[in-house]
Amino acid sequence: MKMDFYRSKYPTFPDKSIPCPKYEHNKANGLTAAIVDYVNLLGGFASRISSTGLYREGIGWTKSNTRKGISDIIAVYSGKAYAIEVKIGKDRQSEDQRSFEVDWERAGGLYIIAKSFDDFYEDFNNSLNIKK
């Protein structure tokens, strides 16, 4: 999908000049990037959420203003709001993340835990009633 996007955006570029996107699905950063790109390329909106603090010279670490437990990705597609939490390997939800999930779903959003791209793809399509 991303190659098709690049081809349409840069029609005069030969294919060999367009870098082929590579995603490391076995790492959290790679899986997160793949999911964000997928939703955006479908015409939706997806963004990675960073909840880490910031180091400031002379001050030290300052806390983030982001809610504890917020999901790794916030997305909207076809009028539905998604919170997507990426978990690789033995990584599990924290208590703050479970609390966020409950609040998100109570507000009408859909929450997906993505352990692989295939898991995400299946849950995402099921939420839209799309068959493979």
mmCIF file of all heavy atoms in Angstrom, residues 33-56:
data_model
loop_
_atom_site.group_PDB
_atom_site.id
_atom_site.type_symbol
_atom_site.label_atom_id
_atom_site.label_comp_id
_atom_site.label_asym_id
_atom_site.label_seq_id
_atom_site.Cartn_x
_atom_site.Cartn_y
_atom_site.Cartn_z
ATOM 1 N N ALA A 33 4.644 1.549 13.731
ATOM 2 C CA ALA A 33 4.745 2.269 12.453
ATOM 3 C C ALA A 33 3.877 1.612 11.382
ATOM 4 O O ALA A 33 3.208 2.304 10.607
ATOM 5 C CB ALA A 33 6.199 2.328 11.995
ATOM 6 N N ALA A 34 3.863 0.284 11.342
ATOM 7 C CA ALA A 34 3.057 -0.429 10.346
ATOM 8 C C ALA A 34 1.568 -0.156 10.543
ATOM 9 O O ALA A 34 0.831 0.081 9.577
ATOM 10 C CB ALA A 34 3.337 -1.930 10.416
ATOM 11 N N ILE A 35 1.111 -0.158 11.782
ATOM 12 C CA ILE A 35 -0.308 0.075 12.068
ATOM 13 C C ILE A 35 -0.691 1.513 11.733
ATOM 14 O O ILE A 35 -1.720 1.756 11.090
ATOM 15 C CB ILE A 35 -0.624 -0.260 13.539
ATOM 16 C CG1 ILE A 35 -0.493 -1.766 13.765
ATOM 17 C CG2 ILE A 35 -2.010 0.246 13.933
ATOM 18 C CD1 ILE A 35 -0.532 -2.192 15.216
ATOM 19 N N VAL A 36 0.134 2.473 12.140
ATOM 20 C CA VAL A 36 -0.146 3.883 11.838
ATOM 21 C C VAL A 36 -0.212 4.094 10.324
ATOM 22 O O VAL A 36 -1.152 4.728 9.812
ATOM 23 C CB VAL A 36 0.906 4.808 12.490
ATOM 24 C CG1 VAL A 36 0.818 6.222 11.932
ATOM 25 C CG2 VAL A 36 0.739 4.811 14.002
ATOM 26 N N ASP A 37 0.771 3.566 9.594
ATOM 27 C CA ASP A 37 0.765 3.709 8.136
ATOM 28 C C ASP A 37 -0.463 3.052 7.516
ATOM 29 O O ASP A 37 -1.088 3.613 6.613
ATOM 30 C CB ASP A 37 2.031 3.113 7.523
ATOM 31 C CG ASP A 37 3.233 4.035 7.636
ATOM 32 O OD1 ASP A 37 3.064 5.192 8.080
ATOM 33 O OD2 ASP A 37 4.338 3.597 7.277
ATOM 34 N N TYR A 38 -0.826 1.861 7.975
ATOM 35 C CA TYR A 38 -1.965 1.141 7.412
ATOM 36 C C TYR A 38 -3.245 1.961 7.528
ATOM 37 O O TYR A 38 -3.960 2.156 6.540
ATOM 38 C CB TYR A 38 -2.119 -0.215 8.106
ATOM 39 C CG TYR A 38 -3.278 -1.025 7.589
ATOM 40 C CD1 TYR A 38 -3.218 -1.635 6.339
ATOM 41 C CD2 TYR A 38 -4.443 -1.174 8.323
ATOM 42 C CE1 TYR A 38 -4.288 -2.369 5.842
ATOM 43 C CE2 TYR A 38 -5.512 -1.903 7.841
ATOM 44 C CZ TYR A 38 -5.427 -2.499 6.608
ATOM 45 O OH TYR A 38 -6.493 -3.220 6.118
ATOM 46 N N VAL A 39 -3.531 2.458 8.725
ATOM 47 C CA VAL A 39 -4.765 3.228 8.924
ATOM 48 C C VAL A 39 -4.736 4.509 8.090
ATOM 49 O O VAL A 39 -5.727 4.859 7.436
ATOM 50 C CB VAL A 39 -4.993 3.545 10.418
ATOM 51 C CG1 VAL A 39 -6.195 4.466 10.607
ATOM 52 C CG2 VAL A 39 -5.181 2.264 11.221
ATOM 53 N N ASN A 40 -3.604 5.199 8.086
ATOM 54 C CA ASN A 40 -3.496 6.437 7.296
ATOM 55 C C ASN A 40 -3.629 6.171 5.803
ATOM 56 O O ASN A 40 -4.274 6.947 5.086
ATOM 57 C CB ASN A 40 -2.185 7.156 7.608
ATOM 58 C CG ASN A 40 -2.198 7.828 8.971
ATOM 59 O OD1 ASN A 40 -3.240 8.260 9.448
ATOM 60 N ND2 ASN A 40 -1.047 7.892 9.604
ATOM 61 N N LEU A 41 -3.034 5.081 5.325
ATOM 62 C CA LEU A 41 -3.123 4.762 3.893
ATOM 63 C C LEU A 41 -4.531 4.342 3.478
ATOM 64 O O LEU A 41 -4.897 4.478 2.308
ATOM 65 C CB LEU A 41 -2.103 3.685 3.522
ATOM 66 C CG LEU A 41 -0.648 4.153 3.537
ATOM 67 C CD1 LEU A 41 0.305 2.969 3.472
ATOM 68 C CD2 LEU A 41 -0.374 5.132 2.410
ATOM 69 N N LEU A 42 -5.322 3.852 4.424
ATOM 70 C CA LEU A 42 -6.724 3.528 4.132
ATOM 71 C C LEU A 42 -7.583 4.789 4.025
ATOM 72 O O LEU A 42 -8.730 4.729 3.614
ATOM 73 C CB LEU A 42 -7.314 2.631 5.231
ATOM 74 C CG LEU A 42 -6.901 1.179 5.237
ATOM 75 C CD1 LEU A 42 -7.522 0.472 6.447
ATOM 76 C CD2 LEU A 42 -7.315 0.476 3.954
ATOM 77 N N GLY A 43 -7.020 5.925 4.445
ATOM 78 C CA GLY A 43 -7.780 7.174 4.417
ATOM 79 C C GLY A 43 -8.268 7.595 5.784
ATOM 80 O O GLY A 43 -9.016 8.563 5.913
ATOM 81 N N GLY A 44 -7.855 6.864 6.820
ATOM 82 C CA GLY A 44 -8.216 7.224 8.178
ATOM 83 C C GLY A 44 -7.169 8.150 8.770
ATOM 84 O O GLY A 44 -6.323 8.698 8.058
ATOM 85 N N PHE A 45 -7.235 8.291 10.071
ATOM 86 C CA PHE A 45 -6.248 9.088 10.797
ATOM 87 C C PHE A 45 -5.676 8.214 11.895
ATOM 88 O O PHE A 45 -6.427 7.569 12.637
ATOM 89 C CB PHE A 45 -6.885 10.326 11.432
ATOM 90 C CG PHE A 45 -5.979 10.995 12.428
ATOM 91 C CD1 PHE A 45 -5.014 11.893 11.999
ATOM 92 C CD2 PHE A 45 -6.049 10.686 13.779
ATOM 93 C CE1 PHE A 45 -4.149 12.489 12.903
ATOM 94 C CE2 PHE A 45 -5.194 11.279 14.692
ATOM 95 C CZ PHE A 45 -4.235 12.180 14.249
ATOM 96 N N ALA A 46 -4.362 8.182 12.006
ATOM 97 C CA ALA A 46 -3.714 7.465 13.102
ATOM 98 C C ALA A 46 -2.449 8.207 13.481
ATOM 99 O O ALA A 46 -1.746 8.752 12.625
ATOM 100 C CB ALA A 46 -3.373 6.035 12.687
ATOM 101 N N SER A 47 -2.181 8.237 14.784
ATOM 102 C CA SER A 47 -0.981 8.898 15.272
ATOM 103 C C SER A 47 -0.437 8.145 16.473
ATOM 104 O O SER A 47 -1.203 7.687 17.331
ATOM 105 C CB SER A 47 -1.297 10.339 15.674
ATOM 106 O OG SER A 47 -0.131 10.995 16.118
ATOM 107 N N ARG A 48 0.872 8.050 16.514
ATOM 108 C CA ARG A 48 1.534 7.458 17.667
ATOM 109 C C ARG A 48 1.485 8.473 18.805
ATOM 110 O O ARG A 48 1.685 9.668 18.605
ATOM 111 C CB ARG A 48 2.981 7.140 17.305
ATOM 112 C CG ARG A 48 3.751 6.554 18.440
ATOM 113 C CD ARG A 48 5.183 6.304 18.052
ATOM 114 N NE ARG A 48 5.781 5.518 19.110
ATOM 115 C CZ ARG A 48 6.675 4.587 18.920
ATOM 116 N NH1 ARG A 48 7.104 4.329 17.703
ATOM 117 N NH2 ARG A 48 7.164 3.920 19.922
ATOM 118 N N ILE A 49 1.243 7.988 20.018
ATOM 119 C CA ILE A 49 1.176 8.853 21.178
ATOM 120 C C ILE A 49 2.417 8.599 22.033
ATOM 121 O O ILE A 49 2.698 7.465 22.411
ATOM 122 C CB ILE A 49 -0.096 8.570 22.021
ATOM 123 C CG1 ILE A 49 -1.357 8.726 21.166
ATOM 124 C CG2 ILE A 49 -0.143 9.459 23.247
ATOM 125 C CD1 ILE A 49 -1.575 10.099 20.581
ATOM 126 N N SER A 50 3.138 9.655 22.310
ATOM 127 C CA SER A 50 4.321 9.544 23.161
ATOM 128 C C SER A 50 3.967 10.055 24.549
ATOM 129 O O SER A 50 3.509 11.188 24.709
ATOM 130 C CB SER A 50 5.474 10.368 22.584
ATOM 131 O OG SER A 50 6.576 10.327 23.461
ATOM 132 N N SER A 51 4.173 9.211 25.547
ATOM 133 C CA SER A 51 3.820 9.619 26.903
ATOM 134 C C SER A 51 5.051 9.736 27.802
ATOM 135 O O SER A 51 4.927 9.801 29.018
ATOM 136 C CB SER A 51 2.818 8.631 27.504
ATOM 137 O OG SER A 51 3.381 7.337 27.531
ATOM 138 N N THR A 52 6.224 9.758 27.183
ATOM 139 C CA THR A 52 7.434 9.885 27.979
ATOM 140 C C THR A 52 7.642 11.338 28.383
ATOM 141 O O THR A 52 7.169 12.258 27.725
ATOM 142 C CB THR A 52 8.679 9.411 27.198
ATOM 143 O OG1 THR A 52 8.785 10.173 25.993
ATOM 144 C CG2 THR A 52 8.590 7.943 26.872
ATOM 145 N N GLY A 53 8.359 11.522 29.462
ATOM 146 C CA GLY A 53 8.659 12.868 29.925
ATOM 147 C C GLY A 53 9.743 13.500 29.066
ATOM 148 O O GLY A 53 10.112 12.983 28.016
ATOM 149 N N LEU A 54 10.251 14.603 29.539
ATOM 150 C CA LEU A 54 11.247 15.361 28.782
ATOM 151 C C LEU A 54 12.376 15.756 29.721
ATOM 152 O O LEU A 54 12.131 16.206 30.846
ATOM 153 C CB LEU A 54 10.577 16.609 28.198
ATOM 154 C CG LEU A 54 11.425 17.552 27.383
ATOM 155 C CD1 LEU A 54 11.866 16.890 26.082
ATOM 156 C CD2 LEU A 54 10.635 18.808 27.073
ATOM 157 N N TYR A 55 13.610 15.581 29.266
ATOM 158 C CA TYR A 55 14.753 16.011 30.063
ATOM 159 C C TYR A 55 15.096 17.450 29.706
ATOM 160 O O TYR A 55 15.250 17.785 28.546
ATOM 161 C CB TYR A 55 15.975 15.116 29.827
ATOM 162 C CG TYR A 55 17.151 15.527 30.681
ATOM 163 C CD1 TYR A 55 17.200 15.180 32.026
ATOM 164 C CD2 TYR A 55 18.163 16.317 30.157
ATOM 165 C CE1 TYR A 55 18.250 15.578 32.827
ATOM 166 C CE2 TYR A 55 19.223 16.726 30.961
ATOM 167 C CZ TYR A 55 19.261 16.355 32.283
ATOM 168 O OH TYR A 55 20.297 16.758 33.074
ATOM 169 N N ARG A 56 15.199 18.292 30.715
ATOM 170 C CA ARG A 56 15.534 19.699 30.498
ATOM 171 C C ARG A 56 16.812 20.022 31.268
ATOM 172 O O ARG A 56 16.899 19.749 32.473
ATOM 173 C CB ARG A 56 14.403 20.602 30.958
ATOM 174 C CG ARG A 56 13.153 20.372 30.153
ATOM 175 C CD ARG A 56 12.040 21.240 30.636
ATOM 176 N NE ARG A 56 10.844 20.923 29.860
ATOM 177 C CZ ARG A 56 9.773 21.657 29.866
ATOM 178 N NH1 ARG A 56 9.713 22.739 30.594
ATOM 179 N NH2 ARG A 56 8.730 21.304 29.150
#
